[in-house]
């Protein structure tokens, strides 16, 4: 019987590998046929050139779109090797690197939900590469998959009770590159405090949060030592200027602020967004913390990721690569109709069906346009609601486990 199982496994893996490579090859050809610019990768390269030349990082305007530098200074330090290859080689390396990261991301996502088989990783990666957030991440040469891998590596490599020696490093480094992942550290901190309040040992979560804080502070101080002027400018001013990232109402902004800007036909939803984001942060974190304390780490991590995307001032559609673990979690937990519907949303490219681009047409959307350009946010909110109802009752889980 064992021999038969091993024989079947040996047959399944090559078939899955071949299908994955075929899908990736078709994807690569489609990207080239679409003449993708990898515009964000070009910004990263310009940032590294500016840093090496001793220029003003946050006065930078580059590419035909005159895009600014928006990440913390530590990110610019990481980008310095991007000046070594020529542009054509860099684009090839970025595409190949993102495809490898996608496979790792899928593997970590499946580990999180308890189904990390090699053939499963390959089949899921072959399909996930075509979802809009992944397509757009590769199209722009973005770092979303790298940051998601850092976070999932950190949170899926060990159990909550034994976070491990390097616990927090992935989350801290990801937050030092782009601030949104810092919510994972807040989630760990709140979980530890709530565990202590309930009479449990909150130490593992607090140590994990402390590790994330140390990694973040260490990376930020390193950047400050190398780039003192740029660090001062960013942390005292640029970090508060959300308008530098892009206009709130753009259809690609799949955050609560973007939906409210389009719904209210205003470039700045103001206090209403602040209130909505604060409420969502509290409720979303409550779901994530409750899931973690009841031994449902998969729901906790996915819930925290979705919450971060919803409350961020700007969450471009390519930031929603977290749809991959969300769909896998829903599917493996028996919510297959919801999982299929969620996958359809993220593979439909529906947000690009509405008027967008020059002239700011997003400020004048009709009801159908508003619905299509809010699909990611609505899916995120529905996921949090389902996560809340899917949790076992308090006291039903005696031990915290890693799903």
């Amino acid at each position: 019987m064992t021999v038969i199982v091993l024989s079947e496994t040996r047959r399944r893996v090559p078939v899955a590998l071949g299908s994955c490579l075929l899908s990736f090859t078709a994807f690569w050809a489609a990207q080239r046929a679409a003449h993708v610019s990898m515009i964000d990768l070009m910004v990263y390269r310009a940032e590294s050139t500016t840093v090496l030349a001793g220029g003003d990082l946050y006065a930078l305007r580059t590419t035909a779109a005159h895009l600014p530098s928006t990440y913390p200074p530590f990110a610019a330090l990481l980008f310095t090797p991007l000046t070594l290859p020529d542009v054509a080689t860099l684009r090839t390396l970025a595409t190949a690197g993102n495809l490898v990261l996608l496979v790792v991301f899928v593997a970590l996502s499946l580990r999180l939900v308890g189904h990390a088989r090699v053939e499963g990783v390959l089949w899921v990666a072959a399909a996930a590469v075509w979802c809009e957030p992944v397509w757009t991440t590769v199209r722009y040469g973005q770092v979303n998959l790298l940051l998601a891998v850092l976070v999932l590596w950190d949170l899926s490599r060990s159990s909550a009770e034994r976070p491990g020696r390097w616990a927090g490093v992935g989350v801290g480094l990801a937050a030092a590159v782009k601030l949104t992942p810092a919510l994972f550290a807040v989630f760990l901190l709140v979980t530890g405090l709530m565990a202590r309040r309930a009479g449990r040992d909150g130490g593992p979560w607090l140590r994990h949060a402390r590790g994330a804080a140390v990694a973040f502070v260490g990376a930020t101080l390193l950047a400050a030592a190398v780039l003192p002027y740029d660090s001062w400018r960013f942390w005292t001013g640029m970090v508060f200027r959300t308008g530098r990232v892009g206009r709130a109402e753009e259809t690609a902004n799949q955050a609560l602020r973007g939906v409210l800007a389009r719904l209210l036909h205003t470039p700045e939803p103001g206090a209403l967004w602040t209130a909505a984001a604060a409420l969502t942060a509290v409720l979303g974190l409550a779901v994530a913390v409750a899931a973690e304390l009841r031994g449902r780490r998969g729901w906790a991590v996915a819930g925290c990721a979705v919450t971060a995307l919803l409350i961020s001032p700007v969450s471009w559609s390519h930031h929603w690569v977290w749809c991959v673990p969300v769909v896998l979690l829903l599917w493996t937990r028996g919510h297959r109709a919801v999982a299929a519907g969620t996958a359809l949303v993220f593979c439909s490219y529906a947000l690009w069906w509405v008027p967008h681009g020059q002239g700011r047409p997003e400020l004048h959307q009709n009801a159908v346009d508003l619905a299509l350009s809010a699909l990611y946010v609505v899916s995120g909110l529905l996921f949090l609601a389902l996560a809340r109802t899917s949790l076992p009752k308090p006291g039903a889980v005696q031990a915290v486990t890693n799903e």
Side-chain angles (χ1 to χ4, degrees):
M1 181 64 71
T2 302
V3 174
I4 295 175
V5 171
L6 289 174
S7 177
E8 290 178 352
T9 300
R10 290 194 187 99
R11 287 198 299 269
R12 290 198 301 265
V13 172
V15 171
L17 177 60
S19 299
C20 185
L21 291 176
L22 181 62
S23 179
F24 281 10
T25 301
F27 174 88
W28 197 312
Q31 289 262 318
R32 293 297 172 267
H35 302 291
V36 295
S37 64
M38 292 197 169
I39 190 170
D40 288 342
L41 181 64
M42 296 302 101
V43 174
Y44 303 157
R45 194 171 194 266
E47 288 179 5
S48 64
T49 302
T50 301
V51 166
L52 293 173
D56 187 340
L57 184 60
Y58 296 104
L60 174 68
R61 292 293 185 277
T62 188
T63 73
H66 302 288
L67 295 177
S69 176
T70 59
Y71 293 177
F74 178 68
L77 289 183
L78 292 183
F79 296 150
T80 50
L82 299 182
T83 58
L84 297 176
D86 59 64
V87 171
T89 303
L90 180 61
R91 286 174 172 162
T92 299
L93 292 173
T95 301
N98 266 320
L99 292 177
V100 171
L101 284 169
L102 175 62
V103 174
V104 176
F105 183 49
V106 169
L108 291 172
S109 299
L110 284 170
R111 180 199 291 181
L112 188 71
V113 301
H115 291 264
R117 293 182 178 178
V118 174
E119 63 268 28
V121 171
L122 294 170
W123 282 115
V124 172
V129 73
W130 296 99
C131 73
E132 190 274 338
V134 173
W135 169 277
T136 312
T137 287
V138 182
R139 171 190 175 188
Y140 292 151
Q142 261 283 344
V143 294
N144 305 304
L145 287 168
L146 173 61
L147 301 184
V149 163
L150 282 172
V151 171
L152 269 191
W153 168 81
D154 197 341
L155 293 170
S156 68
R157 61 190 293 269
S158 56
S159 70
E161 293 178 326
R162 295 180 297 277
R165 183 176 181 180
W166 298 97
V169 172
V171 170
L173 291 178
V177 174
K178 188 182 287 189
L179 297 177
T180 308
L183 191 67
F184 286 97
V186 176
F187 150 70
L188 292 166
L189 174 63
V190 174
T191 303
L193 294 176
M194 293 301 294
R196 283 190 172 179
R197 184 179 178 184
R200 295 171 56 180
D201 179 15
W205 290 289
L206 295 177
R207 288 194 296 274
H208 205 153
R210 183 167 60 247
V214 169
F216 172 80
V217 171
T220 302
L221 289 178
L222 173 63
V226 179
L227 303 170
Y229 176 70
D230 292 323
S231 294
W232 175 260
R233 285 199 67 194
F234 180 83
W235 294 109
T236 61
M238 299 301 171
V239 68
F240 304 109
R241 300 180 186 177
T242 56
R244 285 172 51 84
V245 181
R247 294 192 294 266
E249 78 276 3
E250 290 187 46
T251 191
N253 185 10
Q254 292 297 302
L256 284 169
R257 182 166 170 256
V259 170
L260 288 173
R262 294 187 290 271
L263 181 64
L264 300 175
H265 307 296
T266 175
E268 183 47 67
L272 182 59
W273 166 69
T274 302
L279 179 62
T280 302
V282 171
L283 296 179
L285 277 176
V287 170
V289 170
E292 180 73 0
L293 290 175
R294 298 174 197 178
R296 300 295 188 263
R297 173 154 284 194
W299 288 105
V301 172
C304 186
V306 168
T307 301
L309 290 166
L310 291 172
I311 67 174
S312 176
V314 175
S315 290
W316 301 126
S317 67
H318 50 79
H319 295 168
W320 283 82
V321 292
W322 286 96
C323 68
V324 175
V326 165
V327 170
L328 291 174
L329 181 67
L330 290 170
W331 184 268
T332 58
R333 296 302 178 267
H335 304 286
R336 298 200 167 183
V338 179
T342 304
L344 179 61
V345 165
F346 288 99
C347 291
S348 68
Y349 295 70
L351 73 161
W352 299 113
W353 301 354
V354 306
H356 61 277
Q358 298 298 320
R360 308 179 78 169
E362 292 97 334
L363 291 175
H364 310 285
Q365 290 184 345
N366 58 36
V368 174
D369 294 337
L370 288 170
L372 291 175
S373 63
L375 283 175
Y376 288 13
V377 171
V378 171
S379 296
L381 292 172
L382 290 176
F383 172 77
L384 290 178
L386 180 60
R388 178 66 186 88
T389 60
S390 298
L391 297 180
K393 295 184 181 300
V397 179
Q398 300 299 322
V400 176
T401 58
N402 187 26
E403 286 186 310

